[in-house]
Amino acid sequence: MLIQPRPVDSTTSAHERVYRALRTQIMHGELAPGAALTLRGIGKTYGVSMTPAREAVRRLVAEGALFLSSSGRVSTPALTNERIEELATLRAMLEPELASRALPRAHFALIDRLEAINQGVSQMVARQDATGYIRMNLEFHRMLYLRAQAPAMLAMTETVWLQLGPTMRALYGRLNRKEPPYHHKLILSALKAGDEPGLRLAIRTDVTQGLRMLKG
């Protein structure tokens, strides 16, 4: 008996493509806080109908990456001080734990890869490329956290990153960086030394210090 291939649902594949593209844009700070989006505009940008655009937006609203007002207006979140503090606290809880779990598997090949990514962060700083900086910075952290082998915890962390994406763009402008994050060097040193308390402290400081500068 031959198994017939399942038909491809073009609507599903279209909404998945739009969802992933928008999700990446938001996480990497390509959209400013409070930026308005329309289903018509999304559909035109990605060459899809209203249905997949609406489904992609629905998923992103559920993840906290987009905000849907009572009037139906869709926008990226403009975070309050309280919300920034809450998300910074989540990062301080989740990311040191992920790093700690990754430490036993942080072999020289991983550290070499992290150092190469950090060079990419330096290049983005030199170019004053805000979205490139955010993308490479998140890649640095994700590369380490993947070694934790804690997919549920990493998924929660990425949801926090997603909600913070536009705010991270605003933070980059505030910091006016001239060099890569100092705490990346401390993270790499702690990994090389197998220093778990030092690693936890470096991660916690790295992921919260800048965010808390936005408050006030």
Side-chain angles (χ1 to χ4, degrees):
M1 176 180 176
L2 293 176
I3 299 175
Q4 296 296 324
R6 294 179 63 182
V8 175
D9 185 336
S10 60
T11 301
T12 299
S13 59
H15 106 251
E16 184 69 23
R17 175 169 57 86
V18 175
Y19 164 76
R20 291 187 178 280
L22 270 176
R23 190 176 190 273
T24 299
Q25 276 193 298
I26 295 166
M27 187 179 287
H28 293 167
E30 294 180 34
L31 301 175
L37 301 172
T38 65
L39 296 179
R40 190 178 302 279
I42 293 169
K44 183 176 180 181
T45 298
Y46 295 102
V48 299
S49 67
M50 296 281 278
T51 299
R54 184 180 296 109
E55 182 62 19
V57 165
R58 183 193 66 77
R59 289 175 66 182
L60 290 165
V61 167
E63 290 182 289
L66 291 175
F67 174 73
L68 179 63
S69 72
S70 57
S71 65
R73 181 180 182 270
V74 178
S75 62
T76 56
L79 302 179
T80 62
N81 286 345
E82 292 76 15
R83 186 63 172 160
I84 291 171
E85 178 63 33
E86 180 185 7
L87 293 173
T89 299
L90 281 172
R91 292 196 71 177
M93 292 168 59
L94 291 167
E95 296 188 47
E97 179 63 23
L98 281 166
S100 175
R101 294 182 181 212
L103 183 58
R105 304 180 190 90
H107 305 306
F108 289 120
L110 173 65
I111 295 171
D112 288 347
R113 178 61 182 144
L114 290 173
E115 288 180 329
I117 294 171
N118 206 37
Q119 298 249 335
V121 175
S122 299
Q123 292 172 5
M124 296 303 163
V125 171
R127 295 177 194 169
Q128 294 291 291
D129 182 343
T131 59
Y133 169 83
I134 295 168
R135 175 175 54 81
M136 296 297 292
N137 185 51
L138 292 181
E139 185 179 345
F140 178 90
H141 286 272
R142 184 184 286 110
M143 180 65 64
L144 173 59
Y145 302 159
L146 282 169
R147 292 298 178 96
Q149 297 184 3
M153 198 178 297
L154 180 56
M156 292 174 66
T157 300
E158 290 192 345
T159 298
V160 175
W161 293 348
L162 183 59
Q163 293 179 37
L164 282 169
T167 298
M168 295 303 293
R169 174 63 178 267
L171 174 61
Y172 182 90
R174 177 79 64 88
L175 292 176
N176 192 26
R177 285 204 181 277
K178 298 292 190 297
E179 57 186 31
Y182 169 70
H183 292 95
H184 282 197
K185 296 178 183 178
L186 299 183
I187 291 167
L188 290 165
S189 295
L191 288 171
K192 291 174 183 176
D195 176 6
E196 183 186 7
L199 178 61
R200 281 182 172 271
L201 178 60
I203 289 282
R204 185 180 300 111
T205 308
D206 181 56
V207 303
T208 61
Q209 190 175 63
L211 280 174
R212 287 177 171 142
M213 288 177 59
L214 284 173
K215 295 172 58 184

